[in-house]
């Protein structure tokens, strides 16, 4: 696969998370400038301030209400931006929110890294917190699973967690020590995750069965992962400037980005099948049908 890089924002803005919006635009977080940006189909780009420059907007998702929602990691806030650029949000003191997903109940669910909680927030700001059983687990990325529950990575506990919409929590330890899972995504029958510490991709079934697949370069530092409609997954290799592709049976291939020092982080698939990647070096990369 070939990729085209599109510079966005000001120098040093640090595109980090990326999502396809309901308006046909591609939205990203500028982790170093406290902004959320919109790349329109015509190629124009605009950044919207969403907090102080050091608030560190990170993960962004299309919400259940035709808006984009995002976490402000240092700002301790869950933000919402309409497609017109209007910004609102809700404070979550001390939480350091990171991962964010829309649940099967049409609420937003996020990970509170510093307080060891999984938190549910409705679009009108009603919050329900669920404490995790072990302290210091560093809950990271969260996603809706194929079983009607939410699944999340426990980066420092070296485990994958599951929480029902009623708040029941389970944890599944990983076979590889110090694997440090971060990114997580769901296919029709499994959850796939990346181990930034071990250089592996993993798969966990809803019954807890785990398989791990080493990457060609174990020092690649895989960071984020997203499922494609065909059951395969794409993931970013933060340390190598590559994108990885894994099949349901664990076969891995990698594809170089134009700039190997671009530091790829979040990625998303647009409705037309185009793959978009946020590059902390200052660009969005486009691959697939959108690169033709």
């Amino acid at each position: 696969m070939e990729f085209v890089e599109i510079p966005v924002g000001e120098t040093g803005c640090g595109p980090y998370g990326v999502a396809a919006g309901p308006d046909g635009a591609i939205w990203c977080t500028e982790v170093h400038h406290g902004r959320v940006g919109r790349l329109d189909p015509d190629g124009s780009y605009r950044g919207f301030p969403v907090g102080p420059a050091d608030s560190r907007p990170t993960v962004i998702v299309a919400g259940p209400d035709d808006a984009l929602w995002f976490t402000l990691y240092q700002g301790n806030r869950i933000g919402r931006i309409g497609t017109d650029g209007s910004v609102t949000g809700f404070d979550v003191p001390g939480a350091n929110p990171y991962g964010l997903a829309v649940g099967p109940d049409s609420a937003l669910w996020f990970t509170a890294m510093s307080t060891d909680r999984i938190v549910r927030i409705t679009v009108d700001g009603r919050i329900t917190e669920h404490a995790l059983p072990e302290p210091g687990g560093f809950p990271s990325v969260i996603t809706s699973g194929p079983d009607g529950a939410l699944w999340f990575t426990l980066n420092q506990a070296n485990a994958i967690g599951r929480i029902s919409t009623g708040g029941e929590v389970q944890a599944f330890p990983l076979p590889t020590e110090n694997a440090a899972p971060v990114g997580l995504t769901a296919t029709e029958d499994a959850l796939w995750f990346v181990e930034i510490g071990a250089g592996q991709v993993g798969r966990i079934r809803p019954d807890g069965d785990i398989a791990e697949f080493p990457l060609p370069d174990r020092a690649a530092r895989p960071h984020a992962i997203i499922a494609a409609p065909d059951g395969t997954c794409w993931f970013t290799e933060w340390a190598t400037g590559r994108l990885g592709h894994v099949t349901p049976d664990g076969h891995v291939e990698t594809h170089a980005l134009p700039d190997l020092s671009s530091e790829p982080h979040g990625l998303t698939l647009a409705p037309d099948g185009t793959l978009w990647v946020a590059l902390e070096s200052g660009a969005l990369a486009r691959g697939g049908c959108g690169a033709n």
Side-chain angles (χ1 to χ4, degrees):
M1 177 181 284
E2 295 185 359
F3 292 88
V4 174
E5 288 191 10
I6 303 169
V8 296
E10 301 169 1
T11 301
C13 69
Y16 189 91
V18 63
D23 55 350
I26 299 299
W27 293 74
C28 69
T29 54
E30 297 182 9
V31 71
H32 300 308
H33 283 182
R35 295 179 181 175
V36 165
R38 183 185 66 211
L39 179 67
D40 289 328
D42 64 5
S44 59
Y45 180 85
R46 180 181 175 186
F48 301 90
V50 295
D54 62 354
S55 58
R56 295 186 68 83
T58 48
V59 174
I60 186 168
V61 300
D65 58 348
D66 292 326
L68 286 299
W69 289 72
F70 53 93
T71 52
L72 289 160
Y73 177 74
Q74 293 286 16
N76 287 304
R77 188 170 172 84
I78 302 299
R80 177 191 185 275
I81 185 167
T83 54
D84 61 353
S86 58
V87 178
T88 55
F90 305 94
D91 293 331
V92 287
N96 290 128
Y98 182 80
L100 182 68
V102 178
D105 54 357
S106 296
L108 285 299
W109 291 72
F110 66 90
T111 57
M113 276 189 168
S114 295
T115 58
D116 294 303
R117 283 171 166 79
I118 302 298
V119 186
R120 178 184 188 269
I121 182 170
T122 62
V123 293
D124 59 359
R126 287 177 289 133
I127 289 177
T128 306
E129 298 187 7
H130 302 281
L132 299 177
E134 296 292 332
F138 222 56
S140 302
V141 173
I142 188 167
T143 193
S144 286
D147 58 346
L150 286 299
W151 291 72
F152 53 95
T153 50
L154 287 162
N155 178 263
Q156 292 301 298
N158 209 52
I160 304 298
R162 177 189 186 274
I163 184 169
S164 70
T165 54
E168 298 173 279
V169 177
Q170 294 174 275
F172 302 90
L174 296 179
T176 301
E177 294 183 2
N178 302 315
V182 181
L184 179 72
T185 191
T187 61
E188 289 186 352
D189 61 354
L191 288 302
W192 286 80
F193 55 92
V194 287
E195 300 174 354
I196 196 169
Q200 298 185 137
V201 176
R203 182 190 65 217
I204 181 169
R205 305 286 189 190
D207 63 3
D209 178 67
I210 295 173
E212 295 172 311
F213 307 99
L215 301 184
D217 182 353
R218 300 293 291 274
R221 307 288 287 177
H223 183 267
I225 187 168
I226 191 167
D230 62 359
T232 65
C233 296
W234 290 89
F235 58 93
T236 53
E237 293 188 350
W238 173 75
T240 65
R242 294 177 177 270
L243 266 289
H245 183 249
V246 59
T247 63
D249 61 358
H251 176 70
V252 175
E253 293 182 351
T254 60
H255 303 261
L257 291 164
D259 179 1
L260 296 182
S261 63
S262 57
E263 299 183 74
H265 285 292
L267 71 174
T268 193
L269 280 165
D272 66 357
T274 306
L275 181 66
W276 290 86
V277 188
L279 309 177
E280 196 172 350
S281 60
L284 298 177
R286 182 188 69 205
C289 66
N292 292 333

